[in-house]
Amino acid sequence: MIRIANDYDADVVIAGAGPAGAAAACHLARYGVSVMLLDRSSFPRDKVCGDFVGPVALAELGALGVPDIDGYLATNIARRAALYLDGHELISRFFPNLEGMPSYGRVVPRYVLDNWIVEAARRAGARVITGHAVTGFSVADDGVAVGLASPSGTLALRARVLIGTDGSSSTVARVMRGALPPRDDRIVAVRAYYENIAGPNDQLDLYFTRRAFPGYYWLFPTGGGEANVGLGMVLETIPAHAEALAALLKRLIDSDSALAARLNTARLRGKVAGWPLMTYDHRLALVDDRVILAGDAAGLINPLNGEGIQYALLSGRWAAETVAQCVRNHDYSAAALMPYASRVERELRYDMALARLIVQLIANRGLNPVWLEALRLITARARKDAAYAEIAGGILAGLAPARSALSVRMIGGTIDQAAMSLAIKAVLTTFSGPAAWSSLGLDAAQVGFQLAYDAMTNPLSFGDWLMRVVSDALELGVQASKGVVAAPLVSARPAAVAIR
Ligand SMILES: Cc1cc2nc3c(=O)[nH]c(=O)nc-3n(C[C@H](O)[C@H](O)[C@H](O)COP(=O)(O)OP(=O)(O)OC[C@H]3O[C@@H](n4cnc5c(N)ncnc54)[C@H](O)[C@@H]3O)c2cc1C
């Protein structure tokens, strides 16, 4: 056991009691470190989310003892996912089976889930203080003073280390870095709950349409005939004069035949709520003297699928491991906290770099036809190639790192499918006559023309986009050259736990 602080309010103060903060608090308390977990809200509290808890996150929850809490085992299990384009099902698959991991996820409203993780932290010995917002902090040689505000006034706490897990609009990150994160790292998403939905309770639905692309929308059943329905988009892809996201979601629900079929007799419960997400930027620091960032506050969210709970739980654990070591060594300098940042980099930076580049490319609406065709090719291949489908499904479920998409099997399979699809198209057009022949070339010309048109009519924003693509491509190149092995995220899971 590590000794308990008495000249400080706690060894460690954690700002934000979402999955990242509560996981860090639980692990630290188990190490015997005195820890105070703060949140501006009172629990249970809602959090805008898709509520999908993937297999990796389930393993982390198991390590925290959350499955022992009443009600957990009754939460809805998702065993498969289906992908739709313009109302037509492209593919439906069960989650892949990976040794030592559940072949399912759960869909648990955050109002319930987050309260359970806080409860696990409390049971482990963390002191939980809600209804107090962290307003700032200042670091001195012998500690960190954390400013708090509540309806009854302001106060300051003293600790050895501050962990910032206060979400995507993190106050701790802003103060630590001295600036807000760049605007182009932002995704916005909305979600609503529906009752009395139709269709299977164990199936997650993901929808794409030309109208909403590059955004996507989803229906994730939460059990008992209810579902979480939402829409996510990269901020800069939302046209300035377009309907607000909530209105767009409602229009999509009415116009998408596949989604409408599931919501035919359903009723909206409550309001459509929105939330911004900050994606990972390797140039932004994750640690400083006596301060460390985890979860959404560190931008640890997969910009491809918006998944962040597993990264919040993982980074909360990694932060706790490093901080516990610092408490043992009485060293809280940025250098002593650096093993945490290195771990995030080792486990996640390559994946985040790949996901960022893809999102940057997708962000240009001129390339929409290319991406929609790629989606068709990938799903067509997955329908007939089980090993390929296993990898694609693994990436979607957050089980396999996104860099598996760059494996020989995936690239080879996709090229093969593209060549075959082109050959089939060529044969069909040969028999359809000259009018159809020109349409093949026209598709490609249309994309090129659209990009050239964008470059001429709005050179500044086109140049800006191009610079971001180049910079993200360079970052991916650097990460790829480090030769990171595409090991499943299972390697990052805690020591043997029963997963439920
Ligand atoms: C619409 C949408 C859908 C999503 N769907 C999914 C999904 O299906 N699956 C998935 O894995 N991820 C999903 N995510 C991402 C996921 O919600 C986040 O990655 C996850 O919540 C991150 O956890 P966290 O603990 O880092 O932050 P949060 O869960 O945001 O927790 C931060 C906590 O800090 C508190 N706080 C904030 N400021 C202060 C302050 N100044 N002082 C004190 N406390 C403060 C907040 O009250 C909150 O409790 C989605 C996100 C959105 C927006």
Coordinates of all heavy atoms in Angstrom, one line a residue, residues 281-346:
D281 N -4.9 15.2 -31.5 CA -3.9 15.9 -32.2 C -2.5 15.7 -31.6 O -2.3 16.1 -30.4 CB -4.3 17.4 -32.2 CG -3.3 18.2 -33.1 OD1 -2.2 17.8 -33.4 OD2 -3.8 19.3 -33.5
H282 N -1.7 14.9 -32.3 CA -0.4 14.5 -31.7 C 0.5 15.7 -31.3 O 1.4 15.5 -30.5 CB 0.4 13.6 -32.6 CG 0.8 14.3 -33.9 ND1 0.0 14.5 -35.0 CD2 2.0 14.9 -34.2 CE1 0.7 15.2 -35.9 NE2 1.9 15.4 -35.4
R283 N 0.2 16.9 -31.8 CA 1.0 18.1 -31.5 C 0.7 18.6 -30.1 O 1.4 19.5 -29.6 CB 0.9 19.1 -32.6 CG 1.5 18.7 -33.9 CD 0.9 19.5 -35.0 NE -0.5 19.3 -35.2 CZ -1.2 19.7 -36.2 NH1 -0.7 20.2 -37.2 NH2 -2.5 19.4 -36.2
L284 N -0.5 18.3 -29.6 CA -0.9 18.8 -28.3 C -0.4 18.0 -27.1 O -0.6 16.7 -27.2 CB -2.4 19.0 -28.3 CG -3.0 19.8 -29.4 CD1 -4.5 19.8 -29.3 CD2 -2.4 21.2 -29.4
A285 N 0.2 18.6 -26.1 CA 0.8 17.9 -25.0 C -0.3 17.2 -24.2 O -1.5 17.7 -24.0 CB 1.5 18.9 -24.1
L286 N 0.0 16.0 -23.6 CA -0.9 15.3 -22.7 C -0.5 15.4 -21.3 O -1.3 15.0 -20.4 CB -1.0 13.8 -23.1 CG -1.5 13.5 -24.5 CD1 -1.6 12.0 -24.7 CD2 -2.8 14.2 -24.8
V287 N 0.8 15.8 -21.0 CA 1.2 16.0 -19.6 C 2.0 17.2 -19.5 O 2.6 17.8 -20.4 CB 2.1 14.8 -19.2 CG1 1.4 13.5 -19.3 CG2 3.4 14.7 -20.0
D288 N 2.0 17.7 -18.3 CA 2.9 18.8 -17.9 C 3.3 18.6 -16.4 O 2.8 17.6 -15.8 CB 2.1 20.2 -18.0 CG 3.1 21.4 -18.2 OD1 4.3 21.2 -17.9 OD2 2.6 22.4 -18.6
D289 N 4.1 19.5 -15.8 CA 4.4 19.3 -14.4 C 3.1 19.1 -13.6 O 2.2 20.0 -13.6 CB 5.2 20.4 -13.8 CG 6.6 20.4 -14.4 OD1 7.1 19.4 -14.8 OD2 7.2 21.5 -14.4
R290 N 2.9 18.0 -12.9 CA 1.8 17.7 -12.0 C 0.4 17.7 -12.7 O -0.6 17.7 -12.0 CB 1.8 18.8 -10.8 CG 3.0 18.7 -9.9 CD 2.9 19.6 -8.8 NE 4.1 19.6 -8.0 CZ 4.3 18.8 -6.9 NH1 3.4 17.9 -6.6 NH2 5.5 18.8 -6.3
V291 N 0.4 17.6 -14.0 CA -0.9 17.6 -14.7 C -0.9 16.5 -15.8 O 0.1 16.4 -16.5 CB -1.3 19.0 -15.3 CG1 -2.7 18.9 -15.8 CG2 -1.2 20.1 -14.3
I292 N -2.0 15.8 -15.9 CA -2.1 14.8 -16.9 C -3.5 14.8 -17.5 O -4.4 15.0 -16.8 CB -1.7 13.5 -16.2 CG1 -1.5 12.3 -17.1 CG2 -2.6 13.1 -15.1 CD1 -0.7 11.1 -16.5
L293 N -3.6 14.6 -18.8 CA -5.0 14.6 -19.4 C -5.3 13.2 -19.9 O -4.5 12.5 -20.4 CB -5.0 15.5 -20.6 CG -4.6 17.0 -20.4 CD1 -4.6 17.7 -21.8 CD2 -5.6 17.6 -19.5
A294 N -6.6 12.8 -19.8 CA -7.0 11.5 -20.3 C -8.5 11.6 -20.8 O -9.2 12.5 -20.6 CB -7.0 10.4 -19.1
G295 N -8.8 10.5 -21.6 CA -10.2 10.5 -22.2 C -10.4 11.6 -23.2 O -9.5 12.0 -23.9
D296 N -11.6 12.1 -23.3 CA -11.9 13.1 -24.3 C -11.1 14.4 -24.1 O -10.9 15.1 -25.0 CB -13.4 13.5 -24.2 CG -14.3 12.5 -25.0 OD1 -13.8 11.5 -25.5 OD2 -15.5 12.8 -25.2
A297 N -10.7 14.7 -22.8 CA -9.9 15.8 -22.5 C -8.6 15.8 -23.2 O -8.0 16.8 -23.6 CB -9.7 16.0 -21.0
A298 N -8.1 14.5 -23.5 CA -6.9 14.3 -24.3 C -7.2 14.1 -25.8 O -6.3 13.9 -26.5 CB -6.2 13.1 -23.7
G299 N -8.5 14.2 -26.2 CA -8.8 14.0 -27.6 C -8.8 12.6 -28.0 O -8.7 12.3 -29.2
L300 N -8.9 11.6 -27.0 CA -8.8 10.2 -27.4 C -10.1 9.7 -27.8 O -10.9 9.0 -27.1 CB -8.3 9.4 -26.2 CG -6.9 9.9 -25.8 CD1 -6.4 9.1 -24.6 CD2 -5.9 9.8 -26.9
I301 N -10.5 10.0 -29.0 CA -11.7 9.5 -29.6 C -11.4 9.1 -31.0 O -10.6 9.8 -31.7 CB -12.8 10.6 -29.5 CG1 -14.1 10.1 -30.0 CG2 -12.4 11.9 -30.3 CD1 -15.2 10.7 -29.1
N302 N -12.0 8.0 -31.5 CA -11.7 7.6 -32.8 C -12.6 8.4 -33.8 O -13.8 8.3 -33.8 CB -12.1 6.1 -33.0 CG -11.8 5.5 -34.3 OD1 -11.7 6.3 -35.3 ND2 -11.6 4.3 -34.4
P303 N -11.9 9.3 -34.6 CA -12.7 10.2 -35.5 C -13.5 9.4 -36.5 O -14.4 10.0 -37.2 CB -11.7 11.1 -36.1 CG -10.4 10.5 -35.9 CD -10.5 9.5 -34.8
L304 N -13.2 8.1 -36.8 CA -13.9 7.4 -37.8 C -15.2 6.9 -37.3 O -16.2 7.0 -38.1 CB -13.1 6.1 -38.1 CG -12.0 6.2 -39.2 CD1 -11.4 4.9 -39.5 CD2 -12.7 6.8 -40.5
N305 N -15.3 6.4 -36.1 CA -16.6 5.9 -35.6 C -17.1 6.6 -34.4 O -18.2 6.3 -33.8 CB -16.6 4.4 -35.4 CG -15.5 4.0 -34.3 OD1 -15.0 4.9 -33.7 ND2 -15.2 2.8 -34.2
G306 N -16.4 7.6 -33.9 CA -16.9 8.4 -32.7 C -16.8 7.7 -31.4 O -17.2 8.1 -30.4
E307 N -16.1 6.5 -31.5 CA -16.0 5.7 -30.3 C -15.0 6.3 -29.3 O -13.9 6.6 -29.7 CB -15.7 4.2 -30.6 CG -16.0 3.2 -29.6 CD -15.8 1.8 -30.0 OE1 -15.7 1.5 -31.2 OE2 -15.7 1.0 -29.1
G308 N -15.4 6.4 -28.0 CA -14.4 7.0 -27.1 C -14.5 6.4 -25.7 O -13.6 6.6 -24.9
I309 N -15.5 5.6 -25.4 CA -15.6 5.0 -24.1 C -14.4 4.1 -23.8 O -13.8 4.2 -22.7 CB -16.9 4.3 -23.8 CG1 -18.1 5.2 -24.0 CG2 -17.0 3.6 -22.5 CD1 -19.5 4.6 -24.0
Q310 N -14.1 3.3 -24.8 CA -12.9 2.3 -24.5 C -11.6 3.1 -24.3 O -10.8 2.7 -23.5 CB -12.8 1.3 -25.6 CG -12.4 1.8 -26.9 CD -12.0 0.6 -27.9 OE1 -12.3 -0.5 -27.6 NE2 -11.5 0.9 -29.0
Y311 N -11.4 4.2 -25.1 CA -10.2 5.0 -24.9 C -10.2 5.7 -23.6 O -9.1 5.9 -23.0 CB -10.0 5.9 -26.1 CG -10.0 5.2 -27.4 CD1 -10.9 5.5 -28.4 CD2 -9.0 4.3 -27.7 CE1 -10.9 4.9 -29.6 CE2 -9.0 3.6 -28.9 CZ -10.0 3.9 -29.9 OH -10.0 3.3 -31.1
A312 N -11.4 6.1 -23.1 CA -11.5 6.8 -21.9 C -11.1 5.9 -20.7 O -10.3 6.2 -19.8 CB -12.9 7.3 -21.7
L313 N -11.6 4.6 -20.8 CA -11.3 3.6 -19.7 C -9.9 3.2 -19.8 O -9.2 3.1 -18.7 CB -12.3 2.4 -19.9 CG -13.8 2.7 -19.7 CD1 -14.6 1.5 -20.1 CD2 -14.1 3.0 -18.2
L314 N -9.4 3.0 -21.0 CA -8.0 2.6 -21.1 C -7.0 3.7 -20.6 O -6.1 3.4 -19.8 CB -7.6 2.3 -22.6 CG -8.1 1.0 -23.2 CD1 -8.0 1.0 -24.7 CD2 -7.4 -0.2 -22.6
S315 N -7.3 4.9 -21.1 CA -6.3 6.0 -20.8 C -6.5 6.3 -19.3 O -5.5 6.7 -18.6 CB -6.6 7.2 -21.6 OG -7.9 7.7 -21.5
G316 N -7.7 6.2 -18.7 CA -7.8 6.4 -17.3 C -7.0 5.4 -16.5 O -6.3 5.7 -15.5
R317 N -6.9 4.1 -17.0 CA -6.1 3.1 -16.3 C -4.6 3.4 -16.5 O -3.8 3.4 -15.5 CB -6.4 1.7 -16.9 CG -5.5 0.6 -16.4 CD -6.1 -0.7 -16.5 NE -6.3 -1.1 -17.9 CZ -5.3 -1.7 -18.7 NH1 -4.1 -1.8 -18.2 NH2 -5.6 -2.0 -19.9
W318 N -4.2 3.8 -17.7 CA -2.8 4.1 -18.0 C -2.3 5.3 -17.1 O -1.2 5.3 -16.6 CB -2.6 4.4 -19.5 CG -2.9 3.2 -20.4 CD1 -3.0 1.9 -20.0 CD2 -3.2 3.3 -21.8 NE1 -3.3 1.2 -21.1 CE2 -3.5 2.0 -22.2 CE3 -3.4 4.4 -22.7 CZ2 -3.8 1.7 -23.5 CZ3 -3.7 4.1 -24.0 CH2 -4.0 2.7 -24.4
A319 N -3.2 6.3 -17.0 CA -2.9 7.5 -16.2 C -2.7 7.1 -14.8 O -1.7 7.5 -14.1 CB -4.0 8.6 -16.3
A320 N -3.6 6.2 -14.3 CA -3.5 5.8 -12.9 C -2.2 5.0 -12.6 O -1.5 5.2 -11.6 CB -4.7 4.9 -12.5
E321 N -1.8 4.2 -13.6 CA -0.6 3.4 -13.4 C 0.6 4.3 -13.3 O 1.5 4.1 -12.4 CB -0.4 2.4 -14.6 CG -1.4 1.2 -14.5 CD -1.5 0.4 -15.8 OE1 -0.8 0.7 -16.7 OE2 -2.4 -0.5 -15.8
T322 N 0.7 5.3 -14.2 CA 1.8 6.2 -14.2 C 1.8 7.1 -12.9 O 2.9 7.2 -12.2 CB 1.8 7.1 -15.4 OG1 1.8 6.3 -16.6 CG2 2.9 8.1 -15.4
V323 N 0.6 7.6 -12.5 CA 0.6 8.5 -11.3 C 0.9 7.7 -10.1 O 1.6 8.2 -9.2 CB -0.8 9.1 -11.2 CG1 -1.0 9.8 -9.9 CG2 -1.0 10.2 -12.4
A324 N 0.5 6.4 -10.0 CA 0.8 5.6 -8.8 C 2.3 5.5 -8.7 O 2.9 5.6 -7.6 CB 0.1 4.3 -8.9
Q325 N 3.0 5.3 -9.8 CA 4.4 5.2 -9.8 C 5.1 6.5 -9.4 O 6.1 6.5 -8.6 CB 4.9 4.8 -11.3 CG 6.3 4.4 -11.4 CD 6.6 3.1 -10.5 OE1 5.8 2.2 -10.5 NE2 7.7 3.2 -9.8
C326 N 4.5 7.6 -9.8 CA 5.0 8.9 -9.4 C 4.9 9.1 -7.9 O 5.8 9.7 -7.3 CB 4.3 10.1 -10.1 SG 4.6 10.1 -11.9
V327 N 3.8 8.7 -7.3 CA 3.6 8.8 -5.9 C 4.6 8.0 -5.1 O 5.2 8.4 -4.1 CB 2.1 8.4 -5.5 CG1 1.9 8.4 -4.0 CG2 1.1 9.3 -6.1
R328 N 4.9 6.8 -5.7 CA 5.9 5.9 -5.1 C 7.3 6.6 -5.1 O 8.1 6.6 -4.1 CB 6.1 4.6 -5.8 CG 5.0 3.6 -5.4 CD 5.2 2.3 -6.1 NE 3.9 1.6 -6.2 CZ 3.3 1.4 -7.3 NH1 3.7 1.9 -8.5 NH2 2.1 0.8 -7.3
N329 N 7.6 7.3 -6.2 CA 8.9 7.9 -6.4 C 9.0 9.3 -5.9 O 10.1 10.0 -6.1 CB 9.3 7.9 -7.9 CG 9.4 6.4 -8.4 OD1 9.6 5.5 -7.6 ND2 9.3 6.3 -9.7
H330 N 7.9 9.9 -5.5 CA 7.8 11.3 -5.1 C 8.3 12.2 -6.2 O 9.0 13.2 -5.9 CB 8.7 11.6 -3.8 CG 8.4 10.6 -2.7 ND1 7.3 10.8 -1.9 CD2 9.0 9.6 -2.2 CE1 7.2 9.8 -1.0 NE2 8.3 9.0 -1.2
D331 N 8.0 11.9 -7.4 CA 8.4 12.8 -8.5 C 7.2 13.0 -9.4 O 6.6 12.1 -10.0 CB 9.5 12.1 -9.3 CG 10.0 12.9 -10.4 OD1 9.4 14.0 -10.7 OD2 11.0 12.5 -11.1
Y332 N 6.7 14.3 -9.5 CA 5.5 14.6 -10.2 C 5.8 15.5 -11.4 O 5.0 16.2 -11.9 CB 4.5 15.3 -9.3 CG 4.3 14.5 -8.0 CD1 5.0 14.8 -6.9 CD2 3.5 13.4 -8.0 CE1 4.9 14.0 -5.7 CE2 3.3 12.6 -6.9 CZ 4.0 12.9 -5.7 OH 3.9 12.2 -4.6
S333 N 7.1 15.5 -11.9 CA 7.4 16.4 -13.0 C 6.8 15.8 -14.3 O 6.4 14.7 -14.4 CB 9.0 16.4 -13.1 OG 9.4 15.1 -13.4
A334 N 6.9 16.7 -15.3 CA 6.4 16.3 -16.6 C 7.2 15.1 -17.1 O 6.6 14.1 -17.7 CB 6.5 17.4 -17.6
A335 N 8.5 15.0 -16.8 CA 9.3 13.9 -17.2 C 8.8 12.6 -16.6 O 8.8 11.5 -17.2 CB 10.8 14.2 -16.9
A336 N 8.5 12.7 -15.3 CA 8.0 11.5 -14.6 C 6.6 11.0 -15.1 O 6.3 9.9 -15.0 CB 7.9 11.8 -13.1
L337 N 5.8 12.0 -15.6 CA 4.5 11.6 -16.1 C 4.5 11.2 -17.5 O 3.5 10.7 -18.1 CB 3.5 12.8 -15.9 CG 3.2 13.2 -14.5 CD1 2.5 14.5 -14.4 CD2 2.3 12.1 -13.8
M338 N 5.7 11.4 -18.2 CA 5.9 11.1 -19.6 C 5.6 9.6 -20.0 O 5.0 9.4 -21.1 CB 7.3 11.5 -20.0 CG 7.4 11.9 -21.4 SD 6.2 13.2 -21.8 CE 6.3 13.3 -23.5
P339 N 5.8 8.6 -19.2 CA 5.5 7.2 -19.6 C 4.0 7.1 -20.0 O 3.7 6.3 -20.9 CB 5.8 6.4 -18.3 CG 6.9 7.2 -17.6 CD 6.6 8.7 -17.9
Y340 N 3.2 7.9 -19.4 CA 1.7 7.8 -19.8 C 1.6 8.3 -21.2 O 1.0 7.6 -22.0 CB 0.9 8.7 -18.8 CG -0.5 9.0 -19.4 CD1 -1.5 8.0 -19.4 CD2 -0.7 10.3 -19.9 CE1 -2.7 8.3 -20.0 CE2 -2.0 10.6 -20.5 CZ -3.0 9.6 -20.5 OH -4.2 9.9 -21.0
A341 N 2.2 9.5 -21.5 CA 2.0 10.0 -22.9 C 2.7 9.1 -23.9 O 2.1 8.9 -25.0 CB 2.7 11.4 -22.9
S342 N 3.8 8.4 -23.5 CA 4.4 7.5 -24.4 C 3.5 6.3 -24.7 O 3.5 5.8 -25.8 CB 5.8 7.0 -23.8 OG 6.5 8.1 -23.5
R343 N 2.8 5.9 -23.6 CA 1.9 4.7 -23.8 C 0.8 5.0 -24.7 O 0.4 4.2 -25.6 CB 1.4 4.3 -22.4 CG 0.4 3.2 -22.4 CD 0.9 2.0 -21.6 NE 0.2 0.8 -22.0 CZ -0.3 0.0 -21.1 NH1 -0.1 0.2 -19.8 NH2 -0.9 -1.1 -21.5
V344 N 0.2 6.2 -24.5 CA -0.9 6.6 -25.4 C -0.4 6.6 -26.9 O -1.0 6.1 -27.8 CB -1.4 8.0 -25.0 CG1 -2.3 8.6 -26.1 CG2 -2.1 8.0 -23.7
E345 N 0.8 7.2 -27.0 CA 1.4 7.3 -28.4 C 1.6 5.9 -28.9 O 1.3 5.6 -30.1 CB 2.7 8.0 -28.3 CG 3.4 8.2 -29.6 CD 4.4 9.3 -29.6 OE1 4.1 10.4 -29.0 OE2 5.5 9.2 -30.2
R346 N 2.2 5.0 -28.1 CA 2.5 3.6 -28.6 C 1.3 2.9 -29.0 O 1.2 2.2 -30.0 CB 3.3 2.9 -27.5 CG 4.1 1.8 -27.9 CD 5.0 1.3 -26.8 NE 4.3 0.8 -25.6 CZ 4.5 1.4 -24.4 NH1 5.2 2.4 -24.2 NH2 3.8 0.9 -23.4

